[in-house]
Amino acid sequence: MNELFEYKDDQTGYVIKQYTNGNDRCDKLYFTTESFVDDDQSFFYKRKDQDPKKCGLYRVDYASGDQELILGDEYTRMAIDYLRPYLYAVKGLEVWKLETGTGKLEKVGELPPGVPTGHLSASKSGIIWSSYHLANKIYALVRLDPKVGVGEVMWKDDHVLGHCQACPGDDDSVMYIHETTGDALQRIWMYDVPTKTVRPYYVEKEGDWITHEVWTADGDFLQFMRYPHDIIQGTRDGHNFKVMASSKQYLHSAPDRAGKFITADRISGVYCGTINQVSLIDAKTGEEEVLANLEQPKTGAEHPHPSFNRKGNVVLFNRPIANSFCNVCAVDLEQVKLFKH
């Protein structure tokens, strides 16, 4: 199957590659995980099609646009390891590992009764973590060592826990949040594996709205939004924070692997009434250039959620379309003025 075509953004003039084309939800993996494989030759996206046989995880050749169904939609909570050529997914209570180079699929363990509340993630040595809603309705952090194969409840809480991301730079730091579907009194928390204790990561003051966190690929920094204006980056230990860029509105942001650029989106209808865009930001100066102008998304499922490829010269994003659907697009940064300078 191949649906690739190109179009020029009416305002920026940049060429956009659109890899899917239909009235279905086709969206890249979430911006807090990789979408591209380690050689950048292909990437993954998820498709919800009117034909159940076409639903699931697809692999797309970046250059040609050729795509194939890799996993059916019984696999969920998918994420790609920052450090190893593996994609992890959940099927029922089972955790499966897909080798992104060979396509080999292997079961690596089982989770306790319940359901993950976010995608899986892996620590530096490959320990798999997830925020979790246990069958007894208690929220928890769960880890699974593939060498053991049995999920272990590490922390329990009465708050709704979500967006758990194991630090790719060590095996000791696991970020998670108190999910309120909006502002929280204290959103970001860090679980310390050796001591089995938790602490606030970025301590919020009155009026702070903190959201949308993502580790850098080396695990040295955590990047997040102080909505609606600021992209903030903090050290792993939570002792030092820096505003990387400010704007009328940013909603999601993701860093490249080299630490040179950030990509972000802004969405109309989210308390600021701004336009819908994907941008590139110089991480040193905070200077921004718009890459693409988009339609207004109907729900959070079709937010652009932009992120980079491994090399950092391509931004992959969702393009909202009518009827609460979206398509997967990419922009080659070699044509972008800010990137070339």
Side-chain angles (χ1 to χ4, degrees):
M1 184 169 68
N2 191 317
E3 299 174 334
L4 175 62
F5 70 94
E6 295 183 349
Y7 71 94
K8 278 190 176 182
D9 186 280
D10 290 340
Q11 297 182 50
T12 68
Y14 292 138
V15 175
I16 309 295
K17 297 180 178 180
Q18 183 166 315
Y19 287 88
T20 62
N21 185 28
N23 290 321
D24 309 302
R25 173 165 290 120
C26 298
D27 59 311
K28 62 184 285 293
L29 299 188
Y30 202 49
F31 74 100
T32 53
T33 182
E34 299 281 7
S35 285
F36 280 84
V37 301
D38 53 356
D39 63 3
D40 279 338
Q41 298 300 305
S42 60
F43 65 87
F44 292 92
Y45 80 90
K46 297 172 291 182
R47 189 181 199 110
K48 282 290 185 183
D49 197 280
Q50 298 176 24
D51 182 353
K53 294 181 181 179
K54 294 182 179 180
C55 295
L57 181 75
Y58 281 76
R59 180 172 182 153
V60 185
D61 184 278
Y62 174 74
S64 70
D66 292 339
Q67 56 178 286
E68 61 177 329
L69 179 63
I70 300 296
L71 297 176
D73 66 351
E74 69 271 22
Y75 292 89
T76 63
R77 307 301 184 182
M78 291 167 283
I80 297 177
D81 199 314
Y82 282 112
L83 305 174
R84 288 158 288 269
Y86 301 148
L87 179 146
Y88 305 105
V90 175
K91 184 175 72 170
L93 294 178
E94 301 172 346
V95 175
W96 289 76
K97 178 182 72 178
L98 175 74
E99 293 186 5
T100 57
T102 65
K104 178 183 177 183
L105 187 62
E106 175 187 1
K107 179 183 172 182
V108 297
E110 293 197 12
L111 299 168
V115 61
T117 60
H119 66 66
L120 303 178
S121 64
S123 69
K124 184 176 183 179
S125 66
I127 307 299
I128 300 169
W129 285 82
S130 178
S131 49
Y132 215 76
H133 197 192
L134 297 168
N136 62 8
K137 304 307 179 184
I138 293 173
Y139 287 90
L141 299 178
V142 171
R143 75 173 180 184
L144 190 154
D145 185 341
K147 296 178 181 178
V148 178
V150 178
E152 179 183 7
V153 175
M154 300 298 294
W155 179 258
K156 295 181 180 180
D157 206 308
D158 288 329
H159 294 89
V160 179
L161 306 186
H163 292 262
C164 172
Q165 297 172 58
C167 178
D170 66 27
D171 292 322
D172 297 338
S173 310
V174 181
M175 189 282 301
Y176 69 96
I177 64 120
H178 287 176
E179 181 63 87
T180 65
T181 68
D183 195 6
L185 291 174
Q186 175 58 48
R187 177 176 166 102
I188 310 177
W189 295 77
M190 199 70 69
Y191 177 78
D192 183 71
V193 177
T195 62
K196 297 183 179 180
T197 59
V198 302
R199 60 177 173 82
Y201 173 73
Y202 177 83
V203 179
E204 296 188 41
K205 64 181 184 296
E206 186 69 26
D208 280 346
W209 184 339
I210 304 301
T211 188
H212 294 144
E213 309 77 10
V214 58
W215 286 107
T216 56
D218 57 13
D220 288 343
F221 301 98
L222 187 73
Q223 194 174 104
F224 56 93
M225 314 302 302
R226 183 164 60 198
Y227 185 78
H229 302 300
D230 300 325
I231 299 173
I232 298 178
Q233 184 166 281
T235 53
R236 188 188 311 176
D237 59 15
H239 292 169
N240 296 282
F241 298 93
K242 177 183 178 181
V243 175
M244 305 298 288
S246 295
S247 173
K248 180 181 179 182
Q249 190 214 62
Y250 291 127
L251 188 57
H252 309 87
S253 71
D256 69 0
R257 283 179 166 253
K260 293 182 178 181
F261 292 97
I262 299 165
T263 183
D265 62 16
R266 52 176 58 92
I267 304 299
S268 61
V270 189
Y271 303 102
C272 285
T274 188
I275 55 180
N276 307 285
Q277 295 175 325
V278 171
S279 294
L280 181 71
I281 301 161
D282 186 310
K284 185 176 181 180
T285 66
E287 182 182 358
E288 176 197 322
E289 184 174 355
V290 174
L291 302 176
N293 293 274
L294 308 172
E295 295 183 33
Q296 181 177 342
K298 300 294 184 182
T299 72
E302 60 270 7
H303 282 167
H305 296 150
S307 60
F308 292 93
N309 65 346
R310 306 287 182 123
K311 187 177 180 181
N313 63 347
V314 170
V315 168
L316 193 71
F317 63 92
N318 297 326
R319 181 188 184 190
I321 56 177
N323 303 319
S324 297
F325 296 128
C326 55
N327 282 306
V328 181
C329 295
V331 54
D332 187 334
L333 298 179
E334 302 293 346
Q335 65 184 315
V336 175
K337 295 187 289 290
L338 179 63
F339 184 81
K340 292 189 292 185
H341 295 164

